[in-house]
């Protein structure tokens, strides 16, 4: 398989992961408490960000692992 095919496959995988995140956008927006946000924006947004990261940890790990695999295939193909 040429490098282009590996890259294209990786991009398709990433797009699927991105779509999963996009589909959850409304879920997270609906959980925002404007009163808590106004009381301490930095702390509140940090908490919301961490909650989001933790809920998407598997997808993030898949993306990282996919990038590593792509790099290995490209390096292997150039030797």
């Amino acid at each position: 398989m040429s490098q282009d095919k590996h890259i294209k496959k990786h991009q398709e995988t990433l797009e699927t992961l991105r779509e999963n995140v996009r589909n959850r956008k409304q879920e997270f927006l609906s959980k925002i408490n404007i009163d808590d946000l106004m009381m301490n924006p930095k702390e509140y947004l940090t908490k919301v960000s961490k909650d989001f990261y933790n809920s998407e940890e598997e997808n993030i790990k898949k993306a990282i692992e996919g990038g590593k695999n792509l790099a290995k295939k490209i390096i292997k193909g150039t030797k």
Side-chain angles (χ1 to χ4, degrees), residues 3-78:
Q3 290 181 3
D4 291 342
K5 289 181 182 179
H6 290 299
I7 292 169
K8 184 172 173 65
K9 184 177 179 191
H10 180 66
Q11 288 173 331
E12 289 169 357
T13 301
L14 288 178
E15 185 54 37
T16 300
L17 295 173
R18 281 187 208 106
E19 192 61 33
N20 291 341
V21 171
R22 285 185 203 112
N23 289 339
R24 296 191 63 213
K25 178 172 57 174
Q26 195 58 43
E27 174 189 341
F28 271 89
L29 289 174
S30 69
K31 290 182 179 181
I32 293 177
N33 182 317
I34 213 68
D35 293 330
D36 290 344
L37 176 62
M38 296 304 289
M39 292 296 289
N40 192 339
K42 183 177 180 180
E43 183 180 306
Y44 184 75
L45 292 174
T46 299
K47 180 192 177 306
V48 170
S49 301
K50 286 180 181 179
D51 289 347
F52 179 77
Y53 173 84
N54 290 333
S55 73
E56 289 295 323
E57 190 171 2
E58 274 307 306
N59 284 332
I60 293 168
K61 286 180 181 179
K62 286 179 188 177
I64 292 169
E65 194 58 37
K68 289 178 182 179
N69 289 336
L70 175 62
K72 287 176 187 176
K73 289 175 184 175
I74 290 174
I75 290 170
K76 185 177 179 181
T78 58

